[in-house]
């Protein structure tokens, strides 16, 4: 097993996840089996109880793990399926060690950060690195490990110490450290500054780790003189300094790395049995990146949610839309609309924001209402859904978006004026969305209906069934605590809102489709989590096709994309 540790300096959010994913993609393109581990030094057990504004979206895995969004990057770039243990947190490690101590495994010794916590980290990494993540179920050959946060953070110290020890356990030819740093360029001088990187590398060395590669992030391409300066002051060869500037799309990052000789370096440094040239996989990435940059036709989608101030809150939704747009040769124009700004109360409070939000919604080619929790902004989402239904705008509702589509239909088509979800009004007389008691035992963390579940199609004429390749069932990832009330579904179907997919028992409603509408679809699951750059998610693809007026032609061609 070869281990590649990716650390970061100067600032957090510098792009370690994309760098780690890109390195994995390059190595996979050379024919190697690659897995990935993300370490988050926070004390939470997992990401499940975070607000999206803390660390971005909560990504859900097949096994129900609620993890950091970087695992979504790994899955999309590497086309693999990871497990919850591929996300290590301080909370998980301490819980594991404390449970062992309570069990008496330490034979009365004082349990300390060194060696017990650091040993637990190393043991976890070695065990998880062996777990197959590809469809062929073979053991991986390379494990890319991303250490979250920034070198020097007090909470990350035990992990840095663990890898300081681990480099000797694994041996030099099996362990490599890549340090991602920032080269800022102040507007006042326009000069690219190397001092933050020098200080960051010095801090890393002081903790016992020496970088084999220094990846320098910058807004603009870095000059050769800067590269030579970093090489000299950070005690590495010039070829060990890699530049990654801001690019038009993340698909370009693996190509930038490959152009700077990273394959040759890894082959020598880790004694890898590979050729110097990448395979067809990286050529496909190059073609995809070039195609992305040449797109001329634009499709605009309005994303109506309540976490719109930070794009990472809907990272997988954005990627799924982008994958689908790219598949049909359109450039995506994603317009984020704060759902509270669509509400009547906003018109009185701030009429400019209100009218701007409605202007965006009205000019969009399609409307998407993603998942979420809590009552704030729900009335605005209902307004957007009503607009999509009555004006025949292509619409996709995901999780809460589907539930609110049912609520909107009940209020405006069934005339159940107080129809609601028990999440927002426990005393409603028409509870069209109800909680699932078996998934709500009191604790908040890890108690929802999570992970990959089967959805069975009950209608052969379903648009979504055709988009999925006329399969009898699909398996997608879920994350919800509420569901459509199955006792009321016949009332909706009589009026044209059909529940075309349900769970294996037939009790849980999974997919809705509205009759006589170009595309009005709701799904209880989260299809965005399984979207891949070269395998777009069918519900999102359907939305883009409908928004560009090409859905019927696509279905008539037998769900084949035009060249």
């Amino acid at each position: 097993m070869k281990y590649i540790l990716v650390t970061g300096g100067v600032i957090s959010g510098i792009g370690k996840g994309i760098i780690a994913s890109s390195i994995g993609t390059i190595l996979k393109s050379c024919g190697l089996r690659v897995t990935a581990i993300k370490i988050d030094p926070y004390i939470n057990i997992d990401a499940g109880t975070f607000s999206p504004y803390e660390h971005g979206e909560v990504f859900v895995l097949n096994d129900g793990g609620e993890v950091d969004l970087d695992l979504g990057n790994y899955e999309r770039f590497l086309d693999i399926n990871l497990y919850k243990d591929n996300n290590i947190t301080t909370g998980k490690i301490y819980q594991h060690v404390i449970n062992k101590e309570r069990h008496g495994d330490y034979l009365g010794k004082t349990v300390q950060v060194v060696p017990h916590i650091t040993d637990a980290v190393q043991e976890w990494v070695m065990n998880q690195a062996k777990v197959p993540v590809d469809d062929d179920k073979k053991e991986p050959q390379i494990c890319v490990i991303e250490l979250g946060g920034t070198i020097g953070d007090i909470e990350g110290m035990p992990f840095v110490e663990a890898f300081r020890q681990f480099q000797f356990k694994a041996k030099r030819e099996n362990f490599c450290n890549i340090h991602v740093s920032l080269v800022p360029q102040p507007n006042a001088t326009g000069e690219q500054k190397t001092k933050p990187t020098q200080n960051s590398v010095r801090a890393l060395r002081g903790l016992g780790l020496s970088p084999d590669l220094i990846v320098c992030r910058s807004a603009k391409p870095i000059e050769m003189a800067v590269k030579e300066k970093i090489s000299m002051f950070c005690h590495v060869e010039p070829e060990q300094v890699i530049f990654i500037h801001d690019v038009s799309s993340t698909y370009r990052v693996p190509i930038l790395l490959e152009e700077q000789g990273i394959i040759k370096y890894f082959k020598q440094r880790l004694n890898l049995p590979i050729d110097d040239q990448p395979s067809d996989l990286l050529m496909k990435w190059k073609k995809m990146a070039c195609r992305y940059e040449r797109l001329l036709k634009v499709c605009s989608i309005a994303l109506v949610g309540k976490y719109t101030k930070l794009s990472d809150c809907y990272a997988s939704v954005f990627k799924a839309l982008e994958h689908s747009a790219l598949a049909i040769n359109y450039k995506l124009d994603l317009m984020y609309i704060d759902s509270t700004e669509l509400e009547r109360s906003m018109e009185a409070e701030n009429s400019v924001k209100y009218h701007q939000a409605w202007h965006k919604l009205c000019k969009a080619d399609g409307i998407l209402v993603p998942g979420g929790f809590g009552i704030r902004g729900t009335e605005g989402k209902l307004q957007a859904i009503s607009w999509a239904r009555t004006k025949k705008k292509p619409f996709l509702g995901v999780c809460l978006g589907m539930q609110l589509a049912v609520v909107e239909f009940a209020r405006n088509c069934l005339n159940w004026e107080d129809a609601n979800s028990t999440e927002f009004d426990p005393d409603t007389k028409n509870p069209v969305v109800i909680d699932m008691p078996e998934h709500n035992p009191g604790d908040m963390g890890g108690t929802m209906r999570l992970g990959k579940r089967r959805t069975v199609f009950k209608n052969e004429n379903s648009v979504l069934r055709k988009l999925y390749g006329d399969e009898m069932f699909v398996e997608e990832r879920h994350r919800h605590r509420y569901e459509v009330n199955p006792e009321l579904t016949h009332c909706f179907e009589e009026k044209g809102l059909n529940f075309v997919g349900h769970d294996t028992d037939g009790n849980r409603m999974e997919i809705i489709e509205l009759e006589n509408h170009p595309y009005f679809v709701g799904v209880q699951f989260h299809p965005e989590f399984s979207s891949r750059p070269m395998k777009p998610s069918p519900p999102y693809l359907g939305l883009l096709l409908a928004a560009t007026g090409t859905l019927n032609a696509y279905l008539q061609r037998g769900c084949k994309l035009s060249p």
Side-chain angles (χ1 to χ4, degrees):
M1 179 66 68
K2 310 288 185 181
Y3 301 91
I4 298 173
L5 174 67
V6 180
T7 56
V10 186
I11 59 169
S12 59
I14 200 170
K16 296 188 299 295
I18 297 295
I19 300 292
S21 303
S22 300
I23 287 165
T25 301
I26 289 169
L27 293 171
K28 186 167 184 175
S29 77
C30 295
L32 298 168
R33 295 185 298 277
V34 183
T35 186
I37 292 173
K38 172 71 190 294
I39 297 174
D40 287 301
Y42 46 67
I43 298 174
N44 303 62
I45 299 296
D46 60 28
T49 56
F50 281 143
S51 158
Y53 283 139
E54 289 286 314
H55 296 274
E57 74 170 4
V58 178
F59 191 81
V60 179
L61 303 171
N62 278 346
D63 64 357
E66 297 172 285
V67 297
D68 185 84
L69 61 82
D70 275 320
L71 276 83
N73 286 324
Y74 305 155
E75 287 204 344
R76 285 187 286 268
F77 272 72
L78 298 169
D79 194 16
I80 55 177
N81 290 306
L82 299 170
Y83 302 90
K84 56 184 156 189
D85 284 345
N86 286 81
N87 192 193
I88 302 174
T89 69
T90 296
K92 282 183 183 178
I93 293 293
Y94 273 77
Q95 187 181 57
H96 173 71
V97 170
I98 289 168
N99 287 342
K100 286 180 74 174
E101 185 274 332
R102 291 289 84 188
H103 192 253
D105 290 3
Y106 296 117
L107 302 173
K109 289 182 178 165
T110 304
V111 180
Q112 297 175 289
V113 173
V114 181
H116 301 101
I117 296 295
T118 52
D119 284 353
V121 172
Q122 295 172 61
E123 182 186 331
W124 194 305
V125 167
M126 287 190 290
N127 290 339
Q128 198 59 31
K130 296 174 185 173
V131 177
V133 291
D134 284 310
D135 291 337
D136 61 9
K137 301 298 180 189
K138 291 183 180 178
E139 186 177 309
Q141 298 162 290
I142 304 266
C143 180
V144 180
I145 307 153
E146 180 193 345
L147 176 56
T150 309
I151 289 298
D153 292 349
I154 192 167
E155 57 189 6
M157 290 296 187
F159 295 103
V160 176
E161 172 59 21
F163 286 107
R164 185 196 68 77
Q165 299 170 19
F166 186 69
Q167 63 186 330
F168 302 110
K169 188 181 290 186
K171 306 296 183 196
R172 176 175 163 74
E173 65 272 15
N174 299 322
F175 182 86
C176 175
N177 177 211
I178 297 171
H179 190 62
V180 185
S181 185
L182 178 70
V183 176
Q185 191 169 2
N187 289 332
T189 61
E191 184 185 1
Q192 292 172 328
K193 297 293 185 180
T194 65
K195 194 63 72 179
T197 298
Q198 293 177 44
N199 290 337
S200 180
V201 171
R202 187 182 301 117
L204 184 66
R205 281 219 170 86
L207 296 169
L209 286 171
S210 291
D212 296 285
L213 287 174
I214 300 172
V215 177
C216 299
R217 289 279 293 109
S218 63
K220 297 176 182 176
I222 293 176
E223 299 156 11
M224 187 54 65
V226 175
K227 180 174 187 172
E228 290 168 355
K229 190 174 181 181
I230 291 171
S231 165
M232 181 169 65
F233 286 106
C234 294
H235 197 62
V236 293
E237 295 285 345
E239 57 265 26
Q240 291 172 265
V241 181
I242 306 287
F243 296 154
I244 302 292
H245 58 273
D246 292 349
V247 286
S248 58
S249 111
T250 52
Y251 306 131
R252 273 270 162 222
V253 179
I255 299 159
L256 280 178
L257 289 168
E258 188 266 332
E259 286 172 351
Q260 295 180 65
I262 204 166
I263 295 176
K264 185 179 179 183
Y265 179 80
F266 279 134
K267 181 182 178 181
Q268 294 172 347
R269 174 67 180 77
L270 296 174
N271 296 328
L272 297 177
I274 56 175
D275 295 328
D276 286 349
Q277 297 300 318
S279 67
D280 294 341
L281 179 62
L282 206 59
M283 293 306 295
K284 286 180 182 176
W285 274 85
K286 285 183 179 179
K287 287 177 183 175
M288 185 168 62
C290 292
R291 194 155 58 89
Y292 179 89
E293 288 161 3
R294 288 200 304 264
L295 295 174
L296 298 174
K297 294 181 287 186
V298 178
C299 177
S300 60
I301 300 293
L303 188 154
V304 183
K306 65 176 186 177
Y307 306 114
T308 54
K309 292 183 179 69
L310 183 68
S311 60
D312 272 356
C313 295
Y314 299 110
S316 291
V317 170
F318 170 68
K319 288 297 178 186
L321 288 168
E322 191 178 61
H323 299 160
S324 298
L326 186 58
I328 61 171
N329 294 314
Y330 272 79
K331 199 176 192 73
L332 175 69
D333 175 21
L334 184 59
M335 300 182 290
Y336 292 95
I337 300 175
D338 188 332
S339 55
T340 59
E341 294 175 4
L342 295 172
E343 295 175 1
R344 282 285 177 195
S345 58
M346 180 57 72
E347 187 176 18
E349 189 181 319
N350 189 329
S351 61
V352 175
K353 277 188 176 181
Y354 175 79
H355 290 294
Q356 284 176 342
W358 273 102
H359 177 68
K360 278 186 187 176
L361 189 75
C362 294
K363 73 175 186 179
D365 298 316
I367 297 169
L368 170 70
V369 178
F373 297 91
I375 193 169
R376 184 176 69 83
T378 52
E379 289 303 318
K381 292 175 185 176
L382 288 167
Q383 293 281 345
I385 293 166
S386 183
W387 172 268
R389 181 179 59 79
T390 55
K391 301 298 180 184
K392 296 196 181 297
K393 283 276 187 183
F395 166 80
L396 174 63
V398 176
C399 196
L400 178 63
M402 168 187 153
Q403 295 171 5
L404 290 177
V406 173
V407 172
E408 189 277 332
F409 194 88
R411 289 182 184 180
N412 297 320
C413 297
L414 303 182
N415 297 317
W416 299 349
E417 292 181 7
D418 75 331
N420 215 331
S421 165
T422 55
E423 180 181 4
F424 312 129
D425 182 4
D427 302 319
T428 178
K429 292 176 184 173
N430 290 295
V432 295
V433 177
I434 57 175
D435 64 328
M436 300 179 288
E438 76 275 27
H439 292 286
N440 192 9
D443 287 345
M444 294 297 285
T447 56
M448 287 183 277
R449 184 168 179 250
L450 293 162
K452 188 165 78 170
R453 312 258 176 169
R454 180 168 291 188
T455 295
V456 180
F457 288 105
K458 69 171 189 179
N459 187 333
E460 288 186 10
N461 295 321
S462 159
V463 172
L464 213 51
R465 176 170 177 165
K466 291 172 183 173
L467 287 166
Y468 272 104
D470 215 25
E471 299 285 346
M472 293 180 66
F473 63 86
V474 294
E475 290 182 329
E476 295 279 10
R477 301 175 188 183
H478 292 67
R479 185 179 185 243
H480 64 110
R481 192 174 272 120
Y482 295 84
E483 63 171 339
V484 173
N485 190 340
E487 294 178 5
L488 302 176
T489 54
H490 64 280
C491 301
F492 292 91
E493 296 196 322
E494 286 169 7
K495 292 285 188 177
L497 187 69
N498 298 315
F499 294 88
V500 300
H502 48 66
D503 71 345
T504 49
D505 297 328
N507 299 324
R508 215 147 257 166
M509 301 303 113
E510 294 279 357
I511 304 170
I512 60 167
E513 290 180 10
L514 182 64
E515 293 176 2
N516 303 316
H517 193 285
Y519 190 81
F520 191 95
V521 172
V523 292
Q524 184 59 71
F525 46 82
H526 287 268
E528 64 269 19
F529 293 143
S530 51
S531 181
R532 303 286 186 263
M534 298 173 199
K535 289 186 283 187
S537 167
Y540 285 91
L541 181 62
L543 176 66
L544 267 293
L545 287 165
T548 55
T550 55
L551 177 60
N552 289 335
Y554 177 77
L555 295 174
Q556 287 166 8
R557 288 196 303 270
C559 293
K560 291 179 181 174
L561 294 167
S562 58

